[in-house]
Amino acid sequence: GRVDVTVKVSEGPAYSIKSVTIEGVNGPLYAKLQEAAEPSVGKPLTEGNVRALQGVLLGDLNARGYFNATVEVTQGKPDESLTEAAVDVHLTVVAGSVYRVNQVKVIGHQALPAVFVEKRFERMIGNAYDPVDVRRVYRELAQTGLYDNIEINPVPTEAGAITLQVDVEEAKFRQLGPYGGFGSFDGYIIGTSYINRNLFGTGRSLRSQLEVNGRGVQGEMNYLDRWFADSRWQFGIQVFAGTRELLGYDKWELGTRATFSYPLSDHASLSFYGGFDHVSLTSIRFADVDVGPDDYQVQTFGLSYRWDHREDLEPDGHGYLFEANLDYATSFLVGDVSFLRAQMRVAHYWKLPWDTELRLGARGGAMQPLGDTRVIPVDLRFFSGGGQSVRSFPERELGPEDRRSHPTGGEFFTVFNAEYSIPLQDSFYFAVFADAGNLLDSIDDISLDDMHFAAGLGLRYDLPIGPLRVDYGFNLNRQAGEPSGSLHVGFGFAF
């Protein structure tokens, strides 16, 4: 009842896809389709893989608004006529006309009217469907926090026209809650915040916060209109007040700031702002040094440019950031001091093998007294040292000081940071870092002299809203009276 069976197999060549050639289109569309087809190169030449390649190209064309497109394989189908193992696959594409956006249909809205979403797509109506524009609007809506879920589907409705069907699931608009924590500089932190992301049913947000910590009491209120006057301009206004205990003095302040921002692209933005502060310094403990007026008003106008590619930081990728600010404070009308202040920041981040990450950053700033202002108030000067600066010094304690070791700030600073993080287990990371920087009393002395250097170790614990950090920095060129190192506990990225 048992039989031996011998099976003779003649394998023949194993055919593979050598290259993919796309005909029938040119320009940017050709480049995009060729990029989409690239992952198929090197795969086995099978009916399934060829059909999948057709599907990828057709899906890419549909996503770009070419809903009548066809993709035909004209060479390279698996059959007995093939004589070489590596096969060139040729496809002919007939893209047809790109569809135009005819209307927007919003589904699932409740507290927010449909017109709130429709206005975001207003510029697309009557124009050719562009997936880049759709992704931009999706990102803008998602960042508001007004929706838990957003799905945008282009639906062809007639020849050459599509409807954008937007399915939304609204989030909870109001939040009230306490928070607490500890920082190496602020000490204990206790506070409460209130957020209303849909103020008066308009989609505008109001955020307020009251915090008590080891150095004082601060309160603030922020209003934000992401589409000011139904344009791409964003308008925000902040009102704040509080007290603060610092080395050498205490203070209380009351102020406001208004900002207009415009997105130049998906990654670049330009902001214009103006502010007014009234500051009163109390319990002044400086000795033998002029720290400027102890009760003053300052009105400031400025502009800021940001080029932010940090979200490009994906596995085996990199991200970068450039930011520059220019402030002008004038004594005209209600101000008591005049100065010009400029700051710049650059950073680059790399994802490296084994889930490690390298971060490099540099910052600098300079300020120049103007007009009748001889000494800029101490509270407006630059300070250095701390968990987001040169980490071998406690907060604000690097640089000029009086004979009682109270930091007096300066008019010019630099900071350079490098950090390499290594995953340990789950959400824990080990970090090694090096910092350098200086702080000079007067802008007349601008240079890279008197640099301080630090190296250290740290631990990171990733939370959904950012990392919890513990760092210890060693002072590599310690001078008389300086600490040998400093411990920092904080939240968020160091730079």
Side-chain angles (χ1 to χ4, degrees):
R2 296 183 180 182
V3 179
D4 293 330
V5 177
T6 301
V7 180
K8 294 183 178 181
V9 177
S10 178
E11 291 183 352
Y15 296 102
S16 64
I17 300 176
K18 179 182 178 182
S19 66
V20 176
T21 300
I22 298 173
E23 301 168 341
V25 292
N26 50 39
L29 182 58
Y30 168 80
K32 291 294 184 182
L33 293 178
Q34 198 70 51
E35 181 182 349
E38 192 63 30
S40 296
V41 175
K43 288 185 176 180
L45 183 70
T46 65
E47 288 283 358
N49 283 341
V50 172
R51 284 196 300 270
L53 175 58
Q54 285 180 277
V56 166
L57 298 186
L58 193 58
D60 194 271
L61 286 161
N62 290 167
R64 298 178 188 280
Y66 296 93
F67 290 95
N68 287 332
T70 61
V71 179
E72 181 184 359
V73 179
T74 54
Q75 177 183 318
K77 291 182 179 180
D79 57 44
E80 296 179 355
S81 66
L82 297 176
T83 58
E84 295 186 11
V87 179
D88 296 317
V89 177
H90 290 242
L91 302 104
T92 299
V93 173
V94 179
S97 300
V98 65
Y99 275 51
R100 295 183 177 273
V101 179
N102 184 39
Q103 64 174 331
V104 177
K105 183 178 181 181
V106 184
I107 300 174
H109 62 92
Q110 296 178 3
L112 271 168
V115 69
F116 177 81
V117 174
E118 292 169 357
K119 284 184 177 180
R120 310 288 78 84
F121 296 91
E122 205 166 47
R123 295 189 309 120
M124 299 183 198
I125 302 298
N127 294 324
Y129 174 80
D130 187 343
V132 175
D133 279 346
V134 173
R135 286 195 296 269
R136 175 186 58 77
V137 174
Y138 171 84
R139 183 166 51 247
E140 290 175 351
L141 288 171
Q143 288 173 347
T144 65
L146 293 168
Y147 302 101
D148 284 335
N149 188 46
I150 305 169
E151 292 184 9
I152 305 174
N153 300 305
V155 180
T157 55
E158 56 186 74
I162 64 171
T163 293
L164 291 179
Q165 181 173 303
V166 185
D167 294 274
V168 298
E169 181 183 340
E170 294 178 352
K172 292 182 178 180
F173 299 134
R174 297 178 180 84
Q175 287 182 316
L176 173 65
Y179 63 89
F182 175 84
S184 52
F185 181 64
D186 286 333
Y188 71 88
I189 301 169
I190 301 174
T192 184
S193 65
Y194 171 74
I195 302 172
N196 186 344
R197 297 186 180 91
N198 188 25
L199 190 64
F200 306 126
T202 61
R204 300 173 177 89
S205 71
L206 180 69
R207 181 189 301 264
S208 59
Q209 177 178 303
L210 179 64
E211 178 177 300
V212 180
N213 56 49
R215 292 191 176 273
V217 180
Q218 292 91 39
E220 66 176 60
M221 186 174 295
N222 295 273
Y223 168 82
L224 180 62
D225 184 350
R226 294 179 181 272
W227 293 279
F228 182 72
D230 285 328
S231 70
R232 295 196 68 194
W233 283 93
Q234 180 174 285
F235 171 70
I237 188 166
Q238 178 189 41
V239 179
F240 54 89
T243 64
R244 195 83 164 146
E245 296 179 9
L246 299 165
L247 290 174
Y249 66 99
D250 301 342
K251 74 167 185 177
W252 70 266
E253 67 177 326
L254 173 67
T256 184
R257 177 183 173 110
T259 304
F260 282 95
S261 300
Y262 187 82
L264 301 174
S265 69
D266 286 346
H267 300 283
S269 64
L270 184 66
S271 299
F272 302 90
Y273 52 86
F276 172 81
D277 285 33
H278 181 89
V279 181
S280 181
L281 307 186
T282 59
S283 302
I284 299 174
R285 299 177 289 276
F286 294 103
D288 302 330
V289 64
D290 187 356
V291 294
D294 58 11
D295 192 273
Y296 63 90
Q297 298 179 145
V298 57
Q299 55 184 356
T300 309
F301 303 94
L303 59 90
S304 174
Y305 174 77
R306 176 187 285 253
W307 193 38
D308 192 347
H309 279 257
R310 285 177 295 183
E311 62 186 30
D312 297 349
L313 188 60
E314 298 175 350
D316 300 322
H318 65 104
Y320 44 93
L321 169 72
F322 172 80
E323 188 173 22
N325 302 284
L326 182 65
D327 302 335
Y328 172 60
T330 174
S331 57
F332 180 69
L333 294 178
V334 295
D336 295 322
V337 294
S338 297
F339 60 85
L340 192 65
R341 177 173 55 200
Q343 298 183 70
M344 187 174 69
R345 173 189 177 194
V346 293
H348 209 132
Y349 317 105
W350 287 270
K351 284 286 189 182
L352 300 177
W354 307 296
D355 292 329
T356 62
E357 185 177 321
L358 175 65
R359 307 170 70 88
L360 300 178
R363 285 170 284 161
M367 58 197 316
Q368 173 69 59
L370 300 175
D372 297 331
T373 301
R374 185 178 58 86
V375 179
I376 297 176
V378 64
D379 194 51
L380 297 177
R381 300 177 195 172
F382 297 124
F383 286 83
S384 189
Q388 295 181 314
S389 178
V390 181
R391 283 168 276 187
S392 57
F393 283 81
E395 196 82 21
R396 296 166 61 97
E397 294 189 26
L398 182 155
E401 57 185 28
D402 68 357
R403 62 180 177 85
R404 294 176 178 171
S405 299
H406 295 138
T408 57
E411 295 177 353
F412 174 79
F413 83 96
T414 62
V415 175
F416 303 92
N417 305 101
E419 184 170 297
Y420 183 66
S421 62
I422 304 167
L424 295 177
Q425 186 177 6
D426 296 330
S427 298
F428 282 98
Y429 288 79
F430 172 74
V432 293
F433 61 83
D435 304 323
N438 68 347
L439 179 66
L440 303 180
D441 180 62
S442 173
I443 192 172
D444 297 331
D445 303 326
I446 184 170
S447 70
L448 292 179
D449 295 337
D450 197 25
M451 294 292 290
H452 294 76
F453 301 94
L457 308 173
L459 287 175
R460 310 281 182 265
Y461 181 71
D462 271 350
L463 297 171
I465 52 176
L468 175 66
R469 296 186 297 111
V470 179
D471 289 328
Y472 189 88
F474 298 90
N475 194 340
L476 298 183
N477 59 334
R478 182 185 180 190
Q479 302 175 15
E482 292 181 350
S484 59
S486 184
L487 177 69
H488 304 280
V489 179
F491 185 79
F493 294 101
F495 59 95

